[in-house]
Amino acid sequence: TPRDDVGHGSHTLATAGGSQVNGAAAFGYGNGTARGGSPRARVAAYRVCFNPPVNDVECFDADILAAFEAAIADGVHVITASVGGEQRDFFEDTVAIGSLHATKAGITVVCSATNNGPDFGTVSNLAPWVITVAASTTDRAFPGYLVFNRTRVEGQSLSEASLRTKSFYPLIIATDAVAPGRKVEDAQVCMLDSLDAAKVTGKIVVCCVRGGVRRMEKGEAVRRAGGVGMVLVNDEEGGSNVIADAHVLPALHINYTDGLALLAYIKSTPSPPSGFISKATTIVGVRPAPVMAAFSSVGPNVLNPEILKVAGFAYRS
Ligand SMILES: *[C@@H]1O[C@H](CO)[C@@H](O)[C@H](O)[C@H]1NC(C)=O
Ligand SMILES: *[C@@H]1O[C@H](CO)[C@@H](O)[C@H](O)[C@H]1NC(C)=O
Ligand SMILES: *[C@@H]1O[C@H](CO)[C@@H](O)[C@H](O)[C@H]1NC(C)=O
C-alpha cells in the first residue's frame, strides 16, 4: 500500500524528487513554490517500515534488504534511504549491506546521517560506498513576538490562530497550575491532562521546559485545559535553537535566555503578570543559510575516521 500515515517517507521522498507545486503554504506561512531537488525524476518507492513492530520506531532488516533487492532488479539509478540505526560493523549493518549490492550494480546510494545531533560522532550510515547527508536549515524564519514587562522578545511559530485582541492576557507558569493528582514534573513539560483548568483558563501558559513530550502535544495540553496561548521555553541545552511549530493555539517558542527573564518576571512582579503573543510572519532570505540543523547527526566518522562523513560545523547555541 502507498498509504503513509506517519509522513516520514512522503517527506523525504518529496525532498528528493517532489514535483513543482505553486502556492504551497503551511497554515498560511511560507507561501511559494515547493519542489524537490530533482523535480522531474521518475520515482519508485519501496515501503520498508510500517507499524514499526519494535519500540514503535524500528523496522525489520529483511524488509530493508528486500527493498534494496527490488530497486536493483527494477534498474533504478539512485537510491535514497532515510533510515539508519546504530553505528555498527558494516557486516552487521543492513543499510551498508543492501547499499553495497546496489553500488556494485552501478547505483548511487544516498543515506541520511540520522537525527542524533548535535553531539560529535553521532553520524550513522558510515559505509564508504554511500553518500551520507546531514540535515540543514532553510533561509526562512517565522518570527513572532512575546511582549511582557515592557520588553519584546522574539520567538518562532507556525500557529494559525492568533490572540483576539491587543490587550494583555494573564501569564501563568505551568508548574503553578498542576492538575490535582498529577506530578509537578508532568506539568513542567506540559503533558496532556497535567494542567489544572481552574488555574489555566483564559491565560497564556508558560511551559517552562522543553522535552518530555512532543512540542505540539504541549500546545494541545494547554488548549485542553482552557489556556488561550502558550510560550514554550528552551532548556539550557536547547539554547537559542527555537523551532517554528504549527501549534493548535497561539504559541511561541523562545530561547533559553529570554525564558529566564520571562520566568524571573512572572515570579517577582508585584502586580499580576501579563503578556501578549503576536502572530508570526514569514521572513525569507535569512543569512547564513543553509547551516547544519541542530538535530542533525555530526561527524567524525567513529568507524573509519580517515573517511570524512558530515564534517561541517553544527550551528550551536
Ligand atoms: C499564496 O500566494 C498566491 C499568489 O500570491 C495566492 O494566490 C494564494 O492565495 C496564497 N495562498 C496562501 C495560502 O496564502
Ligand atoms: C535570545 O533571543 C533574543 C531575542 O528575543 C536575542 O536578543 C538573544 O540574543 C537570544 N539569545 C541567545 C543566547 O541566542
Ligand atoms: C521589568 O523590567 C525592568 C527593566 O525594563 C526591570 O528593571 C525589572 O526588574 C523587571 N521586572 C521584573 C519583575 O522582572
Side-chain angles (χ1 to χ4, degrees):
T1 171
R3 283 179 195 275
D4 177 9
D5 55 8
V6 173
H8 181 258
S10 301
H11 162 63
T12 52
L13 175 53
T15 302
S19 42
Q20 184 163 319
V21 179
N22 298 319
F27 304 100
Y29 293 95
N31 188 5
T33 302
R35 67 169 180 82
S38 186
R40 305 198 58 190
R42 284 195 294 157
V43 156
Y46 304 87
R47 191 178 193 186
V48 300
C49 278
F50 39 95
N51 301 333
V54 187
N55 299 332
D56 275 345
V57 293
E58 295 177 24
C59 313
F60 286 120
D61 290 335
D63 292 331
I64 295 172
L65 285 175
F68 273 106
E69 225 170 70
I72 295 165
D74 290 345
V76 304
H77 298 143
V78 180
I79 293 175
T80 166
S82 287
V83 291
E86 287 159 26
Q87 302 146 324
R88 56 176 59 171
D89 191 278
F90 301 142
F91 288 103
E92 293 173 2
D93 178 337
T94 311
V95 176
I97 294 166
S99 61
L100 179 65
H101 289 278
T103 303
K104 284 170 78 176
I107 300 167
T108 300
V109 182
V110 184
C111 294
S112 58
T114 66
N115 301 336
N116 298 320
D119 291 341
F120 290 120
T122 41
V123 56
S124 291
N125 290 328
L126 297 170
W129 47 89
V130 304
I131 298 171
T132 311
V133 182
S136 60
T137 63
T138 69
D139 68 347
R140 297 181 191 182
F142 305 94
Y145 297 94
L146 168 72
V147 183
F148 65 96
N149 188 29
R150 301 203 184 115
T151 54
R152 191 183 84 149
V153 305
E154 188 181 307
Q156 298 282 319
S157 181
L158 287 176
S159 291
E160 193 170 23
S162 52
L163 290 174
R164 228 175 284 123
T165 62
K166 285 268 173 202
S167 67
F168 276 36
Y169 291 78
L171 290 166
I172 187 166
I173 303 177
T175 46
D176 291 335
V178 187
R182 295 299 298 252
K183 294 198 208 92
V184 175
E185 295 77 45
D186 295 350
Q188 188 178 40
V189 295
C190 287
M191 213 173 263
L192 283 176
D193 304 319
S194 68
L195 301 170
D196 185 354
K199 292 183 175 149
V200 158
T201 300
K203 295 181 184 163
I204 296 174
V205 177
V206 181
C207 293
C208 39
V209 56
R210 184 176 172 175
V213 295
R214 289 164 195 265
R215 292 187 305 276
M216 281 159 61
E217 204 170 301
K218 297 169 192 270
E220 179 64 33
V222 171
R223 187 171 75 168
R224 270 198 209 175
V228 293
M230 174 181 74
V231 178
L232 175 57
V233 172
N234 248 3
D235 54 8
E236 192 167 8
E237 195 190 348
S240 58
N241 169 35
V242 292
I243 296 162
D245 288 310
H247 291 287
V248 294
L249 79 178
L252 205 58
H253 189 180
I254 65 172
N255 71 25
Y256 178 65
T257 47
D258 286 343
L260 290 182
L262 173 65
L263 294 171
Y265 158 72
I266 296 174
K267 283 178 185 152
S268 65
T269 179
S271 45
S274 64
F276 185 77
I277 299 171
S278 73
K279 187 162 163 52
T281 54
T282 301
I283 307 281
V284 293
V286 172
R287 294 286 179 268
V291 296
M292 195 183 290
F295 62 83
S296 181
S297 293
V298 183
N301 179 340
V302 296
L303 293 184
N304 285 143
E306 69 279 18
I307 295 172
L308 292 183
K309 292 279 187 187
V310 191
F313 69 93
Y315 197 57
R316 288 156 200 274
S317 50

